[in-house]
């Protein structure tokens, strides 16, 4: 199913991260579907093949809960029925199956700290994970990097294995109001006001990390030029566009998740 990006624009012309629905049930179904598609997209890129990574979507009604792929399902095979609703304390309150508790420890505190964040995404990738080992922010060395101009953060803790919610709270504090936080020697975490936005930013992160790894001596543009570019490249509609193009390119039949 293809959707015109204009569907994210409200009647007044203002940007809206999600389409407008007539009921909370329709919004929930939309978020769950985009979450399952996002897992499939990560799988299409070969990400998460070792069971690493998670994508969550806040429930629109039970806002202290989020939807997550149950543990043991290949990202490539994710469907809406494989999602479970995770509540406070990491308890599964709807659906069946175990979860990766690390997902709760990382994502739960971020959802709590950022009430506007609908979705949080994290996995280990060929370029972003190596770049995280440098414990340095992105420099403005490519167009996509400007999406993170003054909107990136680093969690410098050495907890590469996140084993409790307190560590997640430290990660959320490091993230603050940014759209991406680099987990030292681990991997990136992105947030968005929709599943589509969070995944779009994650795709940008991997692209920018690839440039950093392949062009370590690259000359950055000035802060002034980066700021100008960021007003367009860093607009959430750009993340949504990246998501849509990736789905069209890698998931030929999006109905497979239904």
């Amino acid at each position: 199913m293809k959707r015109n990006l204009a569907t994210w624009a409200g009647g007044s012309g203002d940007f809206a991260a999600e389409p407008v629905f007539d009921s909370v049930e329709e919004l929930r179904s939309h978020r769950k579907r985009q979450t399952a598609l996002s897992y499939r997209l990560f799988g299409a890129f070969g990400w998460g093949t070792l069971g690493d990574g998670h994508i969550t979507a806040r429930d629109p009604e039970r806002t202290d809960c989020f939807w997550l792929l149950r543990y043991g399902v290949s990202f490539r095979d994710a469907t809406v029925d494989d999602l479970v609703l995770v509540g406070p304390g990491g308890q599964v309150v709807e659906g069946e199956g175990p979860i990766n508790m690390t997902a709760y420890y990382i994502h739960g505190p971020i959802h709590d700290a950022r009430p506007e964040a609908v979705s949080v995404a994290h996995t280990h990738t060929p370029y972003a994970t190596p770049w995280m080992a440098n414990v340095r922010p992105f420099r403005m060395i490519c167009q996509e990097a400007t999406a993170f101009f003054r909107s990136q953060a680093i969690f410098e803790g050495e907890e590469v294995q996140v084993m409790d919610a307190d560590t997640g709270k430290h990660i959320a504090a490091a993230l603050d109001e940014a759209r991406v936080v680099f987990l030292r020697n681990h991997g990136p975490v992105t947030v968005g006001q929709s599943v589509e936005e969070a995944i779009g930013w994650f795709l940008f992160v991997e692209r920018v990390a690839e440039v950093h790894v392949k062009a370590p001596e690259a000359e950055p543009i000035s802060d002034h030029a980066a700021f100008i570019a960021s007003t367009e490249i860093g607009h959430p509609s750009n993340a949504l566009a990246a998501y849509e193009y990736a789905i069209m390119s890698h998931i030929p039949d999006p109905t497979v998740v239904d």
Side-chain angles (χ1 to χ4, degrees):
M1 179 182 68
K2 295 182 179 180
R3 292 173 296 161
N4 191 315
L5 289 175
T7 60
W8 275 284
S12 65
D14 295 332
F15 172 80
E18 295 180 303
V20 176
F21 295 98
D22 294 328
S23 69
V24 68
E25 290 80 10
E26 289 177 307
L27 178 54
R28 177 182 294 113
S29 294
H30 170 79
R31 288 183 181 179
K32 291 174 68 176
R33 192 166 189 275
Q34 300 312 309
T35 301
L37 279 172
S38 296
Y39 276 107
R40 291 248 178 176
L41 182 62
F42 276 17
F45 282 114
W47 303 344
T49 54
L50 300 180
D52 48 310
H54 0 87
I55 301 165
T56 54
R58 190 189 302 273
D59 187 81
E61 188 171 26
R62 303 178 65 171
T63 55
D64 61 345
C65 301
F66 54 76
W67 293 95
L68 170 74
L69 185 68
R70 61 184 175 86
Y71 191 68
V73 176
S74 166
F75 286 9
R76 291 177 180 269
D77 299 323
T79 68
V80 169
D81 289 340
D82 292 316
L83 301 179
V84 296
L85 187 63
V86 180
Q91 298 298 310
V92 174
V93 297
E94 188 174 327
E96 297 182 359
I99 67 167
N100 181 345
M101 282 301 294
T102 300
Y104 173 74
Y105 295 145
I106 295 176
H107 295 232
I110 293 176
H111 279 289
D112 289 344
R114 295 280 294 271
E116 88 290 356
V118 166
S119 182
V120 180
H122 165 69
T123 195
H124 306 169
T125 59
Y127 292 101
T129 295
W131 179 255
M132 303 299 110
N134 291 309
V135 200
R136 294 200 301 269
F138 286 149
R139 296 183 298 145
M140 301 297 106
I141 61 173
C142 63
Q143 183 187 52
E144 293 89 347
T146 63
F148 306 108
F149 181 68
R150 296 178 180 171
S151 192
Q152 56 179 321
I154 298 176
F155 170 67
E156 296 187 356
E158 294 186 336
E159 299 94 329
V160 292
Q161 178 67 359
V162 181
M163 301 180 66
D164 54 59
D166 284 341
T167 301
K169 291 177 182 177
H170 295 318
I171 292 171
L175 172 66
D176 195 26
E177 297 300 314
R179 57 179 47 138
V180 60
V181 59
F182 300 168
L183 306 188
R184 174 180 177 174
N185 303 95
H186 190 158
V189 178
T190 58
V191 298
Q193 294 187 53
S194 66
V195 176
E196 298 94 322
E197 183 186 351
I199 300 303
W201 292 139
F202 201 95
L203 298 174
F204 269 45
V205 166
E206 179 66 358
R207 173 70 62 81
V208 178
E210 180 178 1
V211 176
H212 277 71
V213 170
K214 291 183 174 180
E217 303 301 323
E219 290 289 335
I221 62 175
S222 66
D223 283 355
H224 176 69
F227 172 75
I228 293 174
S230 71
T231 60
E232 180 175 347
I233 304 301
H235 192 276
S237 61
N238 226 21
L240 269 58
Y243 171 88
E244 287 293 338
Y245 274 103
I247 291 293
M248 287 188 291
S249 300
H250 298 281
I251 313 294
D253 179 14
T255 64
V256 294
V257 302
D258 298 326

